[in-house]
C-alpha cells in the first residue's frame, strides 16, 4: 500500500523549522529507504545521509541510506527502479546516473526517464580544478595549460571512472585550451583523490567542498572553480569564466521515486523533502560542499533533467565514449 500522510505542523526539536507532524502510514513500522548509487563517503552518500536525519523526524519513521554502487551508479539506479512504487524507496540521483549514463553505456538496466518519477531537486554542488603536491610548479590555470602544451600527455588527471562527470568535466575544461592530458580512471572518488594527494596523478576535477578540505595541508592548490561566482570556501580561486572559459559544471543531486508511484505520494514526498531541506544541519552540510538547498517541483526537475541530457549527451558523443 502507498504511503499516506496527514499534514499538521509542529516544531521539530533541534532543527528550528516547522515540519510535517505524525504522518499516517499504512504500515508505520516500515522503514523508508534512500538508495545512494555510489560508495560510502561519496558526495551522493553525504547528501543522502544529510537528508535522512531531518526527513526521519518529519515523517515520523526510520529513514535509512542504502549504498548500492557499481556501473557508474547504474546498480543502485536499477535497484531503485525495480522497487515497489509505494513511496518507501527513493533514489538520490545525480548527473552521472540521470544525464550521463544513457549516453556512455551501450545497455542500461534502467531508463532515467521511463523508470523514475522526479520528486524534488536538491542542489548543485560546484566542481573545482585541483592540483596535487606532485606539481608545486603549477599555481595557476595558465601554468597548467602552458606546461601541458609544452609536454602533451605529460600531465595526468584522475577521475572516478571512464565516462564519469569527473572525466567529462575535465575534458570540457581542457579541450578549449588545446592542451592534452593523460587520463587515469579509478573506481571511485576516494581512490582518485588519494592518487592525487599521494602524487601518483597530477590534477583532477572534484566537488568544491572536498577540494577546499584538501587544500588545508598547504601542499595542494585549487586552480579554478566551475561555479557562476567565487565560493566562500575558496575565495582566492577564480571562476572559469574569469579565466575566459564560460563554464559552470556541477554535480547536481535530486530525489526520485519509482515511476509507478502515485501522484499523491510524489506530492507528499515533495512537501516532506522541502521541509527537510530547511533543517539547519542540512543547510550547513550542503553549504560546506559549496552548494545551497534548491527544492523544486517534480515538473521543474523533469524539465531540468531533459536539458542536462542534451548537454552531457553532446559531450559524450564528442569524446566517443562507449561502455559495456
Amino acid at each position: 500500500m502507498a504511503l499516506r500522510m496527514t499534514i499538521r505542523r509542529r516544531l521539530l526539536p533541534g532543527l528550528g523549522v516547522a515540519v510535517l507532524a505524525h504522518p499516517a502510514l499504512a504500515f508505520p513500522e516500515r522503514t523508508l529507504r534512500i538508495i545512494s548509487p555510489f560508495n560510502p563517503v561519496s558526495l551522493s552518500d553525504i547528501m543522502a545521509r544529510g537528508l535522512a536525519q531531518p526527513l526521519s523526524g518529519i515523517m515520523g519513521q526510520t529513514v535509512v541510506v542504502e549504498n548500492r554502487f557499481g556501473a557508474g551508479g547504474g546498480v543502485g539506479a536499477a535497484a531503485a527502479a525495480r522497487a515497489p512504487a509505494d513511496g518507501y524507496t527513493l533514489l538520490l540521483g545525480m548527473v552521472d546516473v540521470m544525464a550521463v549514463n544513457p549516453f556512455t553505456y551501450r545497455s542500461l538496466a534502467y531508463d532515467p526517464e521511463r523508470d523514475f518519477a522526479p520528486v524534488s531537486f536538491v542542489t548543485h554542488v560546484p566542481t573545482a580544478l585541483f592540483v596535487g603536491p606532485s606539481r608545486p610548479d603549477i599555481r595557476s590555470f595558465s601554468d597548467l595549460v602552458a606546461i601541458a602544451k609544452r609536454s602533451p600527455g605529460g600531465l595526468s588527471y584522475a577521475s572516478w571512472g571512464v565516462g564519469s562527470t569527473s572525466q567529462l568535466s575535465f575534458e570540457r575544461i581542457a579541450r578549449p585550451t588545446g592542451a592534452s592530458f593523460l587520463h587515469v580512471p579509478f573506481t571511485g572518488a576516494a581512490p582518485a583523490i588519494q592518487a592525487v594527494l599521494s602524487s601518483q596523478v597530477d590534477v583532477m576535477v572534484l566537488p568544491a567542498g572536498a577540494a577546499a578540505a584538501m587544500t588545508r595541508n598547504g601542499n595542494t592548490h585549487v586552480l579554478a572553480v566551475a561555479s557562476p561566482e567565487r565560493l566562500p570556501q575558496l575565495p582566492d580561486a577564480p571562476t572559469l569564466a574569469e579565466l575566459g572559459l564560460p563554464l559552470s559544471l556541477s554535480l547536481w543531486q535530486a530525489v526520485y521515486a519509482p515511476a509507478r508511484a502515485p501522484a499523491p505520494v510524489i506530492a507528499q514526498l515533495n512537501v516532506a523533502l522541502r521541509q527537510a531541506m530547511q533543517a539547519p544541519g542540512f543547510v550547513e552540510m550542503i553549504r560546506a560542499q559549496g552548494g545551497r538547498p534548491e527544492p523544486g517541483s517534480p515538473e521543474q526537475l523533469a524539465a531540468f533533467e531533459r536539458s542536462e541530457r542534451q548537454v552531457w549527451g553532446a559531450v559524450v558523443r564528442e569524446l566517443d565514449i562507449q561502455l559495456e
Side-chain angles (χ1 to χ4, degrees):
M1 297 180 66
L3 172 153
R4 294 182 290 109
M5 298 173 63
T6 57
I7 298 179
R8 183 161 59 85
R9 302 184 71 84
R10 65 179 174 88
L11 194 68
L12 184 62
L15 296 183
V17 294
V19 299
L20 298 174
H22 303 303
L25 298 175
F27 298 99
E29 72 279 5
R30 290 181 61 187
T31 296
L32 189 148
R33 265 194 317 168
I34 301 177
I35 293 180
S36 167
F38 291 94
N39 308 56
V41 308
S42 65
L43 181 62
S44 172
D45 180 67
I46 291 169
M47 290 292 165
R49 294 182 190 282
L51 274 175
Q53 191 271 334
L55 192 62
S56 177
I58 288 163
M59 301 187 71
Q61 67 183 91
T62 301
V63 179
V64 300
V65 174
E66 181 179 321
N67 296 96
R68 299 285 295 273
F69 49 90
V75 171
R82 293 192 300 265
D86 54 10
Y88 287 95
T89 298
L90 302 174
L91 173 71
L92 199 289
M94 65 177 293
V95 54
D96 294 73
V97 174
M98 309 308 289
V100 173
N101 285 357
F103 304 98
T104 55
Y105 283 88
R106 295 182 188 276
S107 177
L108 276 181
Y110 68 97
D111 183 296
E113 193 162 10
R114 183 194 64 215
D115 292 340
F116 292 99
V119 180
S120 177
F121 197 78
V122 176
T123 190
H124 288 88
V125 174
T127 55
L129 182 59
F130 174 80
V131 62
S134 66
R135 301 307 305 230
D137 53 335
I138 299 175
R139 283 298 175 264
S140 70
F141 184 70
S142 59
D143 289 342
L144 177 75
V145 173
I147 292 172
K149 285 186 173 181
R150 285 200 300 268
S151 179
L155 288 176
S156 58
Y157 77 93
S159 80
W160 51 80
V162 175
S164 66
T165 45
S166 53
Q167 179 196 8
L168 302 184
S169 295
F170 190 94
E171 291 291 344
R172 289 181 69 181
I173 294 169
R175 288 199 162 210
T177 71
S180 62
F181 299 80
L182 174 66
H183 178 213
V184 184
F186 291 84
T187 56
I193 292 171
Q194 185 55 44
V196 176
L197 292 176
S198 61
S199 299
Q200 299 174 55
V201 187
D202 299 317
V203 296
M204 75 175 294
V205 169
L206 74 167
M214 297 299 107
T215 61
R216 292 174 192 147
N217 62 16
N219 297 325
T220 58
H221 193 68
V222 172
L223 305 179
V225 291
S227 57
E229 60 279 320
R230 292 199 181 200
L231 300 175
Q233 302 91 334
L234 296 162
D236 297 327
T239 66
L240 288 174
E242 290 177 63
L243 301 173
L245 292 173
L247 286 175
S248 182
L249 305 169
S250 72
L251 304 175
W252 54 263
Q253 316 278 318
V255 175
Y256 299 82
R260 303 169 310 283
V265 169
I266 298 299
Q268 292 159 1
L269 288 167
N270 179 272
V271 171
L273 285 163
R274 285 173 178 268
Q275 296 283 345
M277 282 185 253
Q278 295 178 34
F282 180 77
V283 172
E284 181 180 355
M285 178 277 294
I286 214 167
R287 283 179 177 166
Q289 300 299 323
R292 59 185 175 82
E294 299 179 69
S297 69
E299 293 76 19
Q300 289 170 327
L301 174 54
F304 171 77
E305 188 183 323
R306 285 193 293 270
S307 68
E308 282 288 279
R309 288 198 195 103
Q310 292 179 352
V311 170
W312 291 103
V315 175
V316 172
R317 285 190 291 270
E318 181 183 351
L319 295 175
D320 193 25
I321 297 173
Q322 283 288 290
L323 304 174
E324 296 299 332

